Amino acid sequence: MTTSDGFRFDGKAAAILSIGLITILAGMAVSPALAGMKTAFPGYDDSIIQLVLTVPALCVVPGCLVCDALVSRMGSRTTLILGLVLYLIGGVLAGVMPDFTLMILMRAILGIGIGILTPLAQILISENYTGAVRNRLIGIPASASFLTGFLSAFIVGNIAAFDWRLTFAVYLVGIPELLLVLRYLPEHGCPERRSSGGSWDARNRGAWGLVLTMMFVNIAFYTFSTSIALFMKSEGMGDDATSGYVVSLFMLAGFISGLLSARMRAGLGSMTIPVALGLMSCGFAVMSVSGGVPELMVAGILIGWGDLIVYSDLFARIRLCARDGDDERTWITVMTAAMFGGQAISASVVSAVAWVLGITGYRGTFIMLAALLISGAVLSVALSILRRCRPDPVTG
């Protein structure tokens, strides 16, 4: 199938775009199994059992940072195969480990594998597509991951109720992805070794601004996903199943937003980031005054929609900041590491800021995030105006 802009959905496209389907499964896929793990390993308290979720997230960041070096030495296809092998080993074998320490080791291997795979989704788009096609595909990996999250919210809980160890079988989705890569994905060859003049431009202030924006947005984004169930329980708004419905709508909104991201970026132009941050701010504001599940569903849709707009726009902009292909690849891995870094430090940063400001409770935290996000939107507009008003260095 070939679209009007020349994109052809074939085996190669399937191999590249489906990477996003498997990377979101780092922690969420087995979160319903925590209760069963607690029963199987009664000698560990809750904070230790939760390492099953937190260890992969922590290991994703170093995985992202080594991805660029691996691609430089082995090429993108070989690096992708390595990431998938680590994903399968760490994901599936954790479910059969008789010892909890070995299970955590497997989860760490899974995190490194996901850290390698996630930036490759963007790197491979850059290597294989150009122009309007590449611009349209940027948001697809994240959109695909939200689709997986939407579906798994309904499926994994039922599997865990039958046998908690079977939840780890969800990582077998890496097998069809590996087969697609082996069959259809060409190798572009190992990039030439960089010269001293072609080294990564770490002084690129514009790129660092985009990286920090990604981290900031993900700190807010993951506050929603990690606090919604506890907030609903504390307010007496439904049960675990109800919170699952809210999260599912949140994921569904992100999925649709990712599919439409190129069209929205084209229509909004320089206002893309302010509008996206404004949507997320409205979502947290609605949560801060919510009195029932319908309001929380609206909030989830606004936050999920806004986040995917930010994601796709930042990855599009980081490409424009890069000097060449090597520089672009490095900035993509740094951006991806910042994205997961924001996830890892989200709870600590939000708690610290709330403590400094004297804010307590979930509602206070939500209104704080709404204020910070709308402030970010205003700052983004101001910077955009300053860039347009800056005199040309040649013409004055």
Side-chain angles (χ1 to χ4, degrees):
M1 180 183 70
T2 303
T3 61
S4 58
D5 58 6
F7 169 66
R8 181 182 180 185
F9 188 80
D10 51 15
K12 181 180 74 172
I16 294 172
L17 299 180
S18 59
I19 296 173
L21 290 171
I22 67 176
T23 53
I24 198 174
L25 298 176
M28 185 183 65
V30 297
S31 58
L34 292 183
M37 293 180 201
K38 177 66 176 177
T39 302
F41 303 105
Y44 298 96
D45 59 30
D46 290 356
S47 62
I48 300 299
I49 295 294
Q50 288 173 343
L51 289 174
V52 171
L53 305 184
T54 57
V55 164
L58 292 173
C59 292
V60 164
V61 175
C64 290
L65 295 177
V66 302
C67 177
D68 181 44
L70 291 174
V71 173
S72 296
R73 288 162 174 76
M74 302 189 301
S76 55
R77 182 177 183 270
T78 304
T79 303
L80 179 57
I81 293 171
L82 173 63
L84 287 168
V85 170
L86 293 176
Y87 179 92
L88 286 166
I89 291 173
V92 178
L93 292 186
V96 299
M97 289 294 128
D99 180 75
F100 187 76
T101 302
L102 292 176
M103 179 182 291
I104 294 300
L105 176 61
M106 292 298 105
R107 298 292 287 172
I109 293 173
L110 170 71
I112 294 172
I114 291 177
I116 293 172
L117 293 174
T118 306
L120 276 170
Q122 294 293 334
I123 290 170
L124 286 164
I125 288 174
S126 291
E127 287 185 350
N128 291 275
Y129 302 100
T130 59
V133 173
R134 185 178 73 173
N135 190 52
R136 183 159 67 89
L137 296 181
I138 288 172
I140 299 299
S143 180
S145 71
F146 270 63
L147 175 62
T148 305
F150 171 69
L151 296 174
S152 64
F154 291 98
I155 297 172
V156 176
N158 293 322
I159 296 176
F162 179 73
D163 187 337
W164 67 268
R165 288 189 179 274
L166 288 179
T167 60
F168 291 90
V170 72
Y171 296 106
L172 290 172
V173 298
I175 291 179
E177 171 64 19
L178 180 60
L179 294 176
L180 281 172
V181 171
L182 292 173
R183 175 65 179 83
Y184 294 108
L185 188 65
E187 179 60 86
H188 285 261
C190 299
E192 294 182 6
R193 190 175 299 275
R194 290 173 173 166
S195 63
S196 58
S199 60
W200 173 46
D201 183 12
R203 295 176 297 177
N204 189 329
R205 290 181 295 176
W208 278 118
L210 298 174
V211 168
L212 292 175
T213 300
M214 177 67 85
M215 179 174 286
F216 165 67
V217 169
N218 273 273
I219 288 173
F221 169 73
Y222 281 102
T223 300
F224 173 86
S225 59
T226 57
S227 63
I228 184 64
L230 296 174
F231 171 64
M232 292 178 67
K233 183 177 181 179
S234 67
E235 297 288 329
M237 299 181 188
D239 53 18
D240 291 345
T242 309
S243 65
Y245 299 146
V246 174
V247 173
S248 295
L249 277 177
F250 164 74
M251 292 288 183
L252 182 60
F255 167 64
I256 297 172
S257 177
L259 294 179
L260 301 176
S261 60
R263 187 173 300 175
M264 288 186 289
R265 294 198 312 273
L268 294 171
S270 63
M271 291 299 294
T272 300
I273 294 294
V275 168
L277 295 180
L279 287 172
M280 295 182 71
S281 176
C282 289
F284 280 108
V286 169
M287 289 182 71
S288 70
V289 298
S290 60
V293 174
E295 294 99 315
L296 293 179
M297 288 182 171
V298 171
I301 291 172
L302 290 171
I303 295 170
W305 193 280
D307 178 75
L308 258 291
I309 297 175
V310 174
Y311 172 94
S312 60
D313 192 66
L314 290 177
F315 271 110
R317 290 174 185 268
I318 203 77
R319 287 169 162 86
L320 298 177
C321 285
R323 296 179 311 182
D324 52 33
D326 284 341
D327 199 42
E328 176 184 315
R329 190 179 67 244
T330 301
W331 279 115
I332 286 174
T333 59
V334 172
M335 175 82 83
T336 308
M339 182 174 67
F340 283 103
Q343 174 185 355
I345 66 175
S346 175
S348 300
V349 170
V350 170
S351 297
V353 174
W355 179 80
V356 169
L357 298 177
I359 294 172
T360 58
Y362 285 110
R363 293 185 185 273
T365 299
F366 296 151
I367 197 65
M368 176 191 75
L369 289 171
L372 290 173
L373 285 163
I374 201 64
S375 298
V378 172
L379 177 62
S380 180
V381 172
L383 291 174
S384 179
I385 293 173
L386 287 174
R387 282 193 294 268
R388 286 200 298 268
C389 294
R390 186 176 299 160
D392 188 281
V394 176
T395 64

